Amino acid sequence: RLNKMNIILEKAYIILWIIIPVILIFGLINSEKTIDVNIYDTYYVVNTFHFAIFLSTYFTILGLVYFGINYCSLELNKKFTNIHVIGSILSIAIIFILNFLYRTNLNQNVFEIINNEKFNNKVTLVIILFICCFIISQIVFIFNIIQSFVKK
C-alpha cells in the first residue's frame, strides 16, 4: 500500500489529472454560486464554474510539466513535489469549502447582521491565508523545477 502511494507521488501528474474531473464536476454542480473574497473595500466575485475551468486548465498544465519532467528523466526533490501537489490541492479544496460558510444578511436584525459581518470577515481572512499557501506552493514548484535543471 505504501509502495503504491510512493509510485503515485513520484508521478505527480497522475494526481493532478485525477483531480481535474472532480473540480469540473464540483464547478458544474455549483455553477449558480460564486466565490466572494472581500479585501478592504473591494469584492472579488468569481463564478464557481469559471473558477473550476481555470483550475482545471492550471492543473492540466502542471500535470503536463510533471509528465514532461518524468519523460525527460529529470529528478525532482520529492519533498518539494509533495509540498507542491498536496499544498495546491488542499488549499483549493479548503477555499471552496470555506466559501460556502459565508452568511447572508436577509431579514435579520442589526445585531445578527453585525455578527454575520464579523464572521464573514474571519472567513475571508482564512481564505486569504489559504490563497497565500497556494501561492507559496507554486513558488516551491518553480524552485523545484529550477533545482532539477541545475542539478542535472
Side-chain angles (χ1 to χ4, degrees):
R1 189 162 177 82
L2 188 60
N3 190 24
K4 289 181 183 179
M5 190 63 173
N6 285 337
I7 290 171
I8 291 173
L9 288 176
E10 286 176 8
K11 299 182 178 184
Y13 58 90
I14 294 173
I15 296 172
L16 294 170
W17 290 344
I18 289 173
I19 290 295
I20 292 168
V22 173
I23 291 172
L24 287 174
I25 290 170
F26 184 80
L28 192 61
I29 291 171
N30 296 305
S31 63
E32 297 295 319
K33 298 187 180 194
T34 59
I35 296 176
D36 306 326
V37 178
N38 178 16
I39 301 176
Y40 296 107
D41 58 346
T42 304
Y43 272 95
Y44 297 96
V45 181
V46 179
N47 183 292
T48 304
F49 185 66
H50 294 147
F51 188 61
I53 290 173
F54 170 76
L55 285 177
S56 297
T57 304
Y58 185 70
F59 283 147
T60 301
I61 293 168
L62 287 179
L64 288 171
V65 170
Y66 275 117
F67 180 77
I69 287 171
N70 191 35
Y71 183 77
C72 294
S73 299
L74 292 174
E75 186 138 348
L76 293 174
N77 185 318
K78 290 180 184 178
K79 289 180 183 177
F80 288 156
T81 301
N82 292 343
I83 289 170
H84 172 247
V85 172
I86 294 169
S88 296
I89 293 171
L90 283 179
S91 297
I92 295 303
I94 292 172
I95 289 168
F96 269 122
I97 292 168
L98 286 174
N99 187 59
F100 294 108
L101 294 179
Y102 278 110
R103 298 178 181 168
T104 58
N105 294 325
L106 301 175
N107 300 325
Q108 297 175 345
N109 65 37
V110 173
F111 297 110
E112 289 178 2
I113 291 172
I114 292 171
N115 285 336
N116 287 348
E117 189 64 30
K118 288 179 182 177
F119 179 79
N120 288 347
N121 287 340
K122 290 177 184 175
V123 171
T124 299
L125 179 64
V126 175
I127 287 174
I128 291 170
L129 289 174
F130 277 100
I131 289 171
C132 291
C133 290
F134 180 79
I135 292 169
I136 289 169
S137 67
Q138 304 320 301
I139 293 170
V140 168
F141 172 66
I142 292 169
F143 179 75
N144 198 8
I145 299 291
I146 292 170
Q147 176 259 340
S148 73
F149 282 116
V150 169
K151 192 172 164 181
K152 188 162 182 162

